Amino acid sequence: PHFTDSPPYFHAETGWSLVVAESSRNKEAAWKFVKFMIDRKSSETWNTVTGTIPAMKEIAEDPAFRAKWAILEPSFNVLPYGKFVGDVVNREIVWEISMDEFQAVIYGRKSVDKALEDMTKRINYEIDIY
C-alpha cells in the first residue's frame, strides 16, 4: 500500500519472454509452444494452478477468474498503477537482495529504513557493475 496523497506506483520485474531464434533447428515446434503459452486457456490454466496474477489483461479483468482468487484482490486493485521500470540485467540478484533485506526486517536484525537504504545501495551497485 502507498502512504501518500499521490497515486501509488508499483512494479514487478517478472514476466515471460518468449523468443524463437531465427537459427532455431526446431522453429516450427518453438512457435507452436509460444502460441500455446499465449493462448487464453493455457494462460488461465497456468495462473489458476500457480495462483499468480495474470499477465493477460483479459484474464486479470475477468470477474469469474477474480472471484476464484479473491485473496489476490489487493494485487488486482493495483494493476492499473504498474509501470515498466526498465531493463534489469540480473533480475535474480535483485530478488536475492530484496529477500535478504526483507528477512532482515522480519527477523528484527534491521529497521525498515535501514533495510531499504541497504537494498538501494546493493541493487544500485549491481546495476553499476553490469
Side-chain angles (χ1 to χ4, degrees), residues 60-119:
E61 294 177 347
D62 180 354
F65 183 85
R66 289 175 75 142
K68 286 186 224 174
W69 288 101
I71 194 169
L72 297 176
E73 194 62 29
S75 296
F76 287 125
N77 290 341
V78 298
L79 286 177
Y81 303 108
K83 295 182 183 178
F84 179 60
V85 296
D87 294 327
V88 176
V89 176
N90 187 345
R91 186 177 66 94
E92 297 308 314
I93 196 71
V94 172
W95 280 88
E96 184 179 320
I97 291 168
S98 299
M99 184 55 74
D100 288 349
E101 298 300 333
F102 173 76
Q103 289 178 345
V105 171
I106 295 300
Y107 293 118
R109 295 190 303 266
K110 288 186 183 180
S111 69
V112 171
D113 288 341
K114 178 64 174 152
L116 290 172
E117 179 184 328
D118 290 350
M119 183 173 15

Side-chain angles (χ1 to χ4, degrees), residues 12-27:
E13 274 310 311
T14 61
W16 297 354
S17 297
L18 302 173
V19 177
V20 177
E22 185 63 36
S23 60
S24 174
R25 287 182 279 168
N26 298 302
K27 200 171 359 179

